[in-house]
Amino acid sequence: MKENTVTPPAASPGKAKAGKSNRLLMMALPVIVAVLLLFVPVPDGLPPYAWHYFAIFVGVIVGLIFEPLPGAVIGLTGVVVIALCSQWLLFSPEQMLEPKFKLATASFKWAVSGFGNSTVWLIFGAFMFAAGYDKTQFGRRLALILVKYLGRRSLTLGYAITFADLLLAPFTPSNTARSGGTIYPIIANLPPLYGSKPNDPSARKIGSYLMWVAITAACITSSMFLSALAPNLLALALVKSIVGLNISWGMWFLAFLPLGVILILVMPLLAYWFYPPEVKVNNEVPLWAARELEKLGKLSRNEILLLVFVCCALMMWIFAADWIEPAMAALLVIVLMLWTGVLNWNDITNNKAAWNTFVWFATLVALADGLSSTGFITWLGKEGGALMGGISPGTATIVLLLAFYLLHYLFASTTAHTTALLPAMLTIASTIPGMNMEVFCLLMVTSLGVMGIITPYGTGPSPIYYGSGYLPTKDYWRLGTIFGAIFLAALLLIGYPWMSMMF
């Protein structure tokens, strides 16, 4: 398809100045919030250094929400500030009085502790798998095959998009990369074949339906697999640190399985009812997909090797976790891809998204661990538990899940949401007598993907599809409310009973 090149108009000096002022304000906001909290009187029962640590932590979260700088820069800045001021923020007077305690050494070890976390390396490894999908074009081939055989009818085309995301999700830890790198570039070619154009009344012919199905599928698969969303792996580390519970790949998958299967099967049909396309049948889409597949040619050696490697990794994650750490399994597959030529070393070093996420999550793991080591989490649990005293474990589970889910309206990042709220929810739940923490943790972490549907900024792919020109603002908010309510109800009515029965 021919693309029209449009030269954007030069920004006026007034707009440029206003933009610079807004950016400076956004950069100052995390500092202002942190400083204000530092001057708030220390709550009863909490050591001063723990409260001061929390003040800096909140400043980091504010920075992650508004992102005046990349998330990795915000996280790294928070770690450096806390490490440099660790005698007032990180360590108790008793710790510093110990004869063998060395402040500089202990501060540095804490600052880099997140880089040794196995979950962070697992995230990095999964990004390399995604790079293999992209380089070999195996992901594109899978999507095109589904479109070729299911693309004649609008409804089955919706299922083709959903199944394509489902097949890619276990090996792609970024739903943004999965959608922006593979799914969206393919489906963006489909609406014009139906005469459906962005930012035009013809968008409703089929483009609007396809874009809504795509973002909804991305949210469902992000909850279905531990390795389908980077914040899932961060949540895994937080659960292990705060509750001491190890959630395996298979355990996560089993917990969400019936709910995930039902949502995958009914979601395209629900979208078809709530947001119906005007065009029901078109023969051009399968023909277009067949032509694109011909261009790709036969399955290449590297595609076959990639398929073998990722399947081996998946088998090790599910069945061999007792013998090989999942992160080590991922590193083993990366080495095999390098030795066989599926990837080369430049593919590793040039993968900015992988390194950015690696640094970002390593710093967030350290920051979240600091909340626990300073005693803030323990204090918060006692206070939260006192507020929920007398509430049954079942009622408390529902209340906390509702709060966790609906508060996502305030966050433009699932990572920031996880870092800010999950430790608090876990700590409060752990103080409630009779609470099944295994079930509670699984409910919390598997909600992270599906909650992204509620707003146009709720998860990474949201701005991609929102900005496609096929989903008007009022439609997105309306559908987000409807499908967000459906997903939440499904979690409570299907997921919760199933997890309670299994765990």
Side-chain angles (χ1 to χ4, degrees):
M1 296 178 64
K2 187 177 179 180
E3 294 184 357
N4 295 323
T5 304
V6 180
T7 304
S12 66
K15 288 184 178 179
K17 186 175 181 180
K20 186 176 181 180
S21 299
N22 289 336
R23 185 170 180 272
L24 290 174
L25 177 61
M26 292 298 100
M27 292 181 71
L29 191 59
V31 179
I32 293 170
V33 170
V35 170
L36 289 175
L37 282 174
L38 285 172
F39 286 99
V40 172
V42 179
D44 293 336
L46 190 65
Y49 75 97
W51 177 253
H52 297 154
Y53 181 96
F54 175 69
I56 304 300
F57 180 83
V58 171
V60 171
I61 296 301
V62 171
L64 291 176
I65 292 172
F66 293 99
E67 284 199 332
L69 294 170
V73 176
I74 300 294
L76 191 60
T77 302
V79 165
V80 170
V81 168
I82 290 171
L84 290 176
C85 305
S86 57
Q87 65 188 97
W88 302 290
L89 300 174
L90 192 59
F91 302 113
S92 68
E94 292 77 17
Q95 286 176 294
M96 290 188 287
L97 289 174
E98 293 177 4
K100 294 183 179 180
F101 182 82
K102 293 183 179 180
L103 181 64
T105 302
S107 300
F108 179 75
K109 283 184 177 179
W110 172 82
V112 298
S113 61
F115 292 93
N117 185 279
S118 62
T119 302
V120 174
W121 282 101
L122 181 59
I123 295 172
F124 179 79
F127 264 93
M128 293 303 112
F129 293 1
Y133 268 95
D134 183 53
K135 184 175 182 180
T136 64
Q137 296 198 69
F138 184 65
R140 177 177 173 81
R141 184 186 296 276
L142 284 176
L144 286 171
I145 289 171
L146 289 169
V147 171
K148 176 182 176 180
Y149 290 104
L150 297 176
R152 184 171 180 271
R153 296 184 179 275
S154 301
L155 179 58
T156 54
L157 183 56
Y159 278 100
I161 293 169
T162 303
F163 292 151
D165 200 296
L166 182 67
L167 290 171
L168 296 174
F171 315 105
T172 316
S174 167
N175 57 5
T176 307
R178 187 163 70 247
S179 292
T182 300
I183 303 297
Y184 178 76
I186 292 175
I187 65 172
N189 290 285
L190 303 181
L193 300 176
Y194 291 79
S196 182
K197 301 176 183 179
N199 302 306
D200 186 82
S202 64
R204 286 300 306 274
K205 283 187 175 181
I206 194 171
S208 299
Y209 169 73
L210 296 182
M211 296 301 167
W212 184 252
V213 167
I215 181 58
T216 313
C219 291
I220 295 171
T221 58
S222 294
S223 276
M224 196 164 186
F225 304 103
L226 167 61
S227 49
L229 181 70
N232 289 352
L233 295 148
L234 175 62
L236 184 76
L238 294 175
V239 168
K240 185 176 181 180
S241 172
I242 295 167
V243 182
L245 175 65
N246 285 309
I247 299 176
S248 66
W249 196 99
M251 183 179 178
W252 183 300
F253 179 69
L254 180 62
F256 198 76
L257 180 60
L259 177 57
V261 169
I262 292 171
L263 291 179
I264 287 291
L265 292 178
V266 305
M267 181 275 299
L269 184 58
L270 290 175
Y272 198 80
W273 289 340
F274 286 109
Y275 207 42
E278 295 172 1
V279 177
K280 310 299 183 184
V281 180
N282 188 291
N283 293 318
E284 285 299 315
V285 172
L287 295 175
W288 171 83
R291 291 193 296 270
E292 292 298 309
L293 281 169
E294 286 179 9
K295 293 178 184 178
L296 288 178
K298 294 182 179 179
L299 201 66
S300 67
R301 164 191 173 274
N302 284 354
E303 287 179 278
I304 295 171
L305 286 173
L306 176 69
L307 180 60
V308 171
F309 292 154
V310 295
C311 287
C312 288
L314 189 59
M315 293 301 102
M316 286 188 282
W317 291 346
I318 298 173
F319 300 111
D322 291 337
W323 297 280
I324 181 170
E325 174 70 34
M328 184 56 67
L331 291 176
L332 170 62
V333 170
I334 292 172
V335 170
L336 292 173
M337 287 196 290
L338 289 169
W339 275 88
T340 55
V342 174
L343 292 177
N344 59 50
W345 188 241
N346 285 335
D347 295 323
I348 305 291
T349 57
N350 292 336
N351 195 324
K352 294 180 180 180
W355 290 111
N356 178 66
T357 305
F358 179 75
V359 173
W360 184 10
F361 278 77
T363 56
L364 291 180
V365 166
L367 288 165
D369 183 65
L371 282 177
S372 179
S373 64
T374 58
F376 183 86
I377 291 294
T378 302
W379 171 82
L380 181 64
K382 291 179 181 178
E383 295 296 316
L387 289 174
M388 300 193 71
I391 299 178
S392 69
T395 303
T397 297
I398 294 171
V399 170
L400 291 174
L401 177 61
L402 286 171
F404 188 65
Y405 191 95
L406 296 176
L407 283 172
H408 193 59
Y409 275 104
L410 304 179
F411 291 89
S413 162
T414 309
T415 303
H417 180 111
T418 304
T419 309
L421 297 183
L422 185 59
M425 297 296 175
L426 295 176
T427 307
I428 292 171
S430 65
T431 65
I432 298 172
M435 177 69 79
N436 186 331
M437 286 304 297
E438 199 169 31
V439 171
F440 180 80
C441 291
L442 287 169
L443 267 177
M444 288 289 117
V445 297
T446 55
S447 71
L448 291 171
V450 291
M451 69 172 61
I453 196 65
I454 61 178
T455 66
Y457 51 82
T459 189
S462 300
I464 296 174
Y465 294 109
Y466 178 57
S468 68
Y470 288 102
L471 294 171
T473 301
K474 64 176 183 178
D475 289 356
Y476 204 115
W477 281 99
R478 177 177 64 86
L479 292 167
T481 301
I482 293 171
F483 279 76
I486 291 171
F487 291 170
L488 179 58
L491 267 173
L492 292 171
L493 299 177
I494 301 172
Y496 186 20
W498 167 258
M499 294 177 199
S500 299
M501 181 178 68
M502 294 299 298
F503 303 101

